[in-house]
Amino acid sequence: MFFVDTIEVSGLGNRSYLAGGRHTAVAVDPPRDVDQVVAAAARRGVRISHVVETHVHNDYVTGGLELARLVGAAYLVPAAARVFFERVPVHEGDRTEIDPGAGLTLRALATPGHTPHHTSYVLEENGAAVAVFTGGSLLIGTVGRPDLVEPRLTEDLARAQHASAHRLAAELPDETAVLPTHGFGSFCSSAQTEGGDTTIGKEKASNEALTRDVDTFVADLLAGLDDIPAYYTYMGPANAAGPVPVDLTPPAVADAEEIAERLAAGEWVVDLRNRVAFADGHVAGSFNFEGEGQLATYLAWLIPWGKPVTLLAASPGQLAAAQRELVRVGIDRPAAAATGGPTEWLRAGEAPASFRRATFADLAERATDVVVLDVRRASERAGGYVQGSVHIPIHTLHHRLGEVPEGEVWVHCAGGMRAAIAASLLDAAGRDVVAVDDSFDGADKAGLVVRTA
């Protein structure tokens, strides 16, 4: 008998896995905060004998090296990956015993495309394939994007993705479970995944890499590639160097005076509370990145790399969860932090700042005399946009505030989270802003004119 436990890293749209038998197990593509992997093994009563990476990751800092050190496991990394630490190099066809008593073995399959060295691992029980850990190769309904390594390699890697998908489909039984790392919201995926589980047989019927000829597939894949988060630039080098252990102890506590001083020094002060609470009252100059949203992705994308950040949270639990999210993308230690609310974070005599929230129906009544700012990505806007709106994607707004026309700014995205971030940036810059906290799907029903590109 064997088991496969999924470890969700939902903030980044990824999954990690723990698989094994009664005594030993392997961890696949573990997140930076490895304590949850150790806890999963403890619940199963197994020892982690091996830790494997499908590739050098571009979207998060791995916990593989630290996990292997902590538990005394062998650390397997594709041989062609250029890394600067001791590991067991994995070559095509290598077999690794995971739990001999359960007849469990991992077989390495070269599946280049997401990266040149990408490797998938087939979990075999008594010689029969039961699952395949596909990392950023074959995902649910799509494949990992091929443009994160080197622009000159993108088309070649896209063609390699097609070939790798066909290799997996040809060599593995239809009932083999496909267990990817990316594809659940990660920007490492070339398209968004629908559904939570799949098999080789299901992918043969629905995955465009397996239903289209290579030229059509590559042309559509390259045409559909979206923006790359800026922080990805730093993830690959960090993983190749060997990430240091994480420190999740509480940061130094900042009082109201220190918060004001950090703001005056140009540092980032990030309020993690929900967007409704932030709009109602916040420290002037602070930015709103909801702790329950895609905190790590968007904060790491927008903040100048290495800029000190102070976190303001509603509770110690919210602060701890945010720290855990942020170490996964290399923001290791907040400069300081505080919990509570604006009354604790403001100096005596200071009043909280605030701005209005609205719906698309509200906007429809005002659209002719205000600035409408769309902060969605270009791929989203292509599907429909409010006539006359200004388009500045959220990840570029901090550097393009001067391009926002004069006047009252009504800012929207697809659902409200990114609009709240944008509204906080504009509010901190002294603009009169209204955050449209509504689904864009209802914009036309609200009476707005929606055009398509």
Side-chain angles (χ1 to χ4, degrees):
M1 291 294 293
F2 71 94
F3 71 87
V4 177
D5 289 342
T6 300
I7 299 167
E8 298 282 355
V9 190
S10 55
L12 294 177
N14 286 328
R15 288 178 175 177
S16 178
Y17 301 95
L18 182 74
R22 292 182 57 189
H23 303 292
T24 50
V26 57
V28 181
D29 289 344
R32 183 91 180 278
D33 47 325
V34 299
D35 55 337
Q36 59 182 321
V37 185
V38 174
R43 287 192 295 271
R44 285 285 185 178
V46 296
R47 177 176 64 87
I48 300 174
S49 58
H50 295 81
V51 178
V52 303
E53 304 281 7
T54 56
H55 60 293
V56 175
H57 303 283
N58 287 292
D59 65 327
Y60 69 93
V61 181
T62 181
L65 184 63
E66 174 63 5
L67 178 60
R69 184 192 67 80
L70 278 175
V71 302
Y75 188 30
L76 280 60
V77 178
R82 191 163 180 244
V83 296
F84 302 95
F85 49 80
E86 291 296 321
R87 91 289 194 196
V88 178
V90 178
H91 300 86
E92 159 70 23
D94 282 356
R95 293 179 181 270
T96 303
E97 284 193 335
I98 301 303
D99 191 316
L104 294 180
T105 302
L106 274 188
R107 176 166 59 94
L109 284 181
T111 49
H114 188 48
T115 66
H117 60 264
H118 191 283
T119 300
S120 297
Y121 298 90
V122 181
L123 181 65
E124 297 178 339
E125 183 182 36
N126 298 320
V130 292
V132 56
F133 301 103
T134 55
S137 183
L138 187 66
L139 310 185
I140 301 178
T142 185
V143 295
R145 59 193 297 169
D147 61 331
L148 302 180
V149 177
E150 157 61 55
R152 291 171 294 183
L153 297 178
T154 297
E155 182 171 348
D156 288 344
L157 288 176
R159 292 181 178 278
Q161 279 290 52
H162 188 270
S164 291
H166 279 263
R167 181 186 186 191
L168 290 166
E171 295 190 17
L172 298 176
D174 283 357
E175 63 272 19
T176 307
V178 176
L179 303 173
T181 299
H182 304 313
F184 309 96
S186 168
F187 282 89
C188 268
S189 175
S190 62
Q192 291 310 301
T193 287
E194 293 185 7
D197 59 80
T198 193
T199 63
I200 289 292
K202 290 179 181 177
E203 293 309 304
K204 282 182 179 179
S206 61
N207 195 303
E208 293 184 351
L210 298 173
T211 60
R212 295 187 174 190
D213 67 86
V214 62
D215 291 332
T216 302
F217 168 77
V218 169
D220 288 348
L221 177 64
L222 298 185
L225 291 174
D226 218 329
D227 301 310
I228 300 173
Y231 71 92
Y232 278 25
T233 299
Y234 305 97
M235 300 297 95
N239 288 323
V244 299
V246 300
D247 179 2
L248 292 175
T249 58
V253 177
D255 59 16
E257 191 65 41
E258 182 178 348
I259 291 169
E261 290 173 355
R262 290 188 176 278
L263 281 168
E267 297 182 10
W268 277 38
V269 174
V270 171
D271 190 327
L272 301 167
R273 296 175 302 148
N274 70 71
R275 56 186 181 262
V276 177
F278 183 87
D280 285 345
H282 55 269
V283 176
S286 62
F287 303 140
N288 182 214
F289 290 79
E290 290 182 306
E292 287 71 36
Q294 290 179 280
L295 169 67
T297 294
Y298 283 100
L299 180 55
W301 197 341
L302 270 65
I303 191 170
W305 198 250
K307 173 83 74 173
V309 60
T310 295
L311 300 178
L312 307 180
S315 67
Q318 185 180 60
L319 174 61
Q323 282 185 259
R324 183 176 289 273
E325 287 280 331
L326 293 177
V327 298
R328 294 170 179 165
V329 292
I331 302 177
D332 282 10
R333 291 295 294 169
T339 58
T343 55
E344 290 89 8
W345 304 334
L346 291 165
R347 295 175 294 190
E350 291 182 329
S354 64
F355 53 77
R356 290 171 292 160
R357 296 168 51 251
T359 65
F360 279 109
D362 298 324
L363 177 58
E365 298 177 0
R366 295 286 310 278
T368 58
D369 61 349
V370 300
V371 176
V372 180
L373 177 62
D374 181 350
V375 296
R376 297 173 301 158
R377 297 185 301 278
S379 59
E380 297 173 281
R381 186 173 169 88
Y385 61 91
V386 175
Q387 179 175 273
S389 60
V390 176
H391 181 226
I392 303 178
I394 182 64
H395 57 276
T396 68
L397 180 60
H398 187 59
H399 304 290
R400 299 174 60 187
L401 291 170
E403 298 178 31
V404 181
E406 293 298 319
E408 185 177 274
V409 183
W410 288 55
V411 58
H412 79 84
C413 60
M417 181 195 74
R418 288 172 292 173
I421 297 172
S424 72
L425 296 176
L426 290 160
D427 177 72
R431 297 299 301 269
D432 185 7
V433 64
V434 178
V436 179
D437 194 356
D438 200 358
S439 171
F440 186 76
D441 292 341
D444 57 343
K445 297 175 184 176
L448 292 162
V449 178
V450 175
R451 302 290 189 188
T452 55

